[in-house]
Amino acid sequence: GFCLVSSALKDGTRLISVIMGEQNDKARTEDSIRLLTYGFRFFETRKIYKGGAKIGEARIWKGENSETPVGVVDDFYVTLPAGQGKKLQTTLQIPDSLKAPVKKGQELGTVDVSLNSQVIASKPLIALADNNKGGFWRSISDTVGSAFSKIFTKPTEKVNNG
């Protein structure tokens, strides 16, 4: 048989169809149109986060600043069944033990997008600013604070409802 790969863009959503094994041009074209029409009708693409924008903060021990803004490098999109956007949840996975120095662009964790409690997309979280080592007093206070933090708190996830 013969194959056809086609692409279409509608309202910011790009879909690709792949038809394999059809014997004639007309059948391949009609099947491709049906697939693309189905995709545009029953699925939607949503922008979750803008690239380079702050979406949270990471606690940085022994740094000049106690927190560093985090985000994603590029715009973060997900495609999901139409009408399910209100059920999306985002979770920032950031370790509690990050220490200075932190360089802008350094990967510090991940952001997960879930639909009905199932992760459907994930991207790295990056530092949006440098955070150099702090001074002597910052180092002492964060050493003590870190010790108490490990004793009295348990790790948590930061959940944002999309």
Side-chain angles (χ1 to χ4, degrees):
F2 297 92
C3 304
L4 172 67
V5 176
S6 56
S7 171
L9 180 66
K10 180 180 178 183
D11 299 328
T13 298
R14 174 165 301 282
L15 297 179
I16 299 170
S17 75
V18 179
I19 307 298
M20 299 176 68
E22 285 288 357
Q23 294 300 318
N24 63 59
D25 287 340
K26 183 179 180 191
R28 284 191 295 272
T29 302
E30 288 173 355
D31 285 350
S32 180
I33 290 169
R34 276 195 287 272
L35 274 175
L36 293 169
T37 300
Y38 177 87
F40 286 125
R41 183 173 181 190
F42 293 106
F43 291 88
E44 64 183 278
T45 299
R46 289 220 171 173
K47 182 191 255 184
I48 304 300
Y49 293 115
K50 182 176 176 10
K54 177 183 167 184
I55 61 175
E57 291 187 332
R59 174 63 165 108
I60 305 298
W61 297 98
K62 301 181 182 183
E64 287 178 344
N65 302 302
S66 61
E67 294 183 330
T68 297
V70 295
V72 291
V73 174
D74 301 314
D75 292 347
F76 189 5
Y77 292 91
V78 294
T79 300
L80 62 151
Q84 299 293 306
K86 292 185 185 220
K87 294 181 181 179
L88 287 178
Q89 284 195 321
T90 59
T91 306
L92 306 181
Q93 306 280 349
I94 304 171
D96 292 331
S97 58
L98 297 172
K99 293 182 182 174
V102 170
K103 296 293 176 198
K104 183 177 180 178
Q106 180 178 334
E107 190 174 316
L108 299 180
T110 59
V111 57
D112 297 329
V113 178
S114 301
L115 179 64
N116 299 324
S117 301
Q118 185 170 0
V119 175
I120 61 169
S122 186
K123 272 201 171 201
L125 283 172
I126 60 155
L128 297 177
D130 289 338
N131 192 345
N132 297 316
K133 282 190 174 186
F136 176 75
W137 291 112
R138 171 67 76 178
S139 179
I140 296 297
S141 67
D142 276 0
T143 299
V144 172
S146 177
F148 278 105
S149 176
K150 288 177 185 174
I151 294 170
F152 295 110
T153 62
K154 64 179 183 174
T156 59
E157 298 174 339
K158 298 177 184 179
V159 176
N160 300 326
N161 290 325

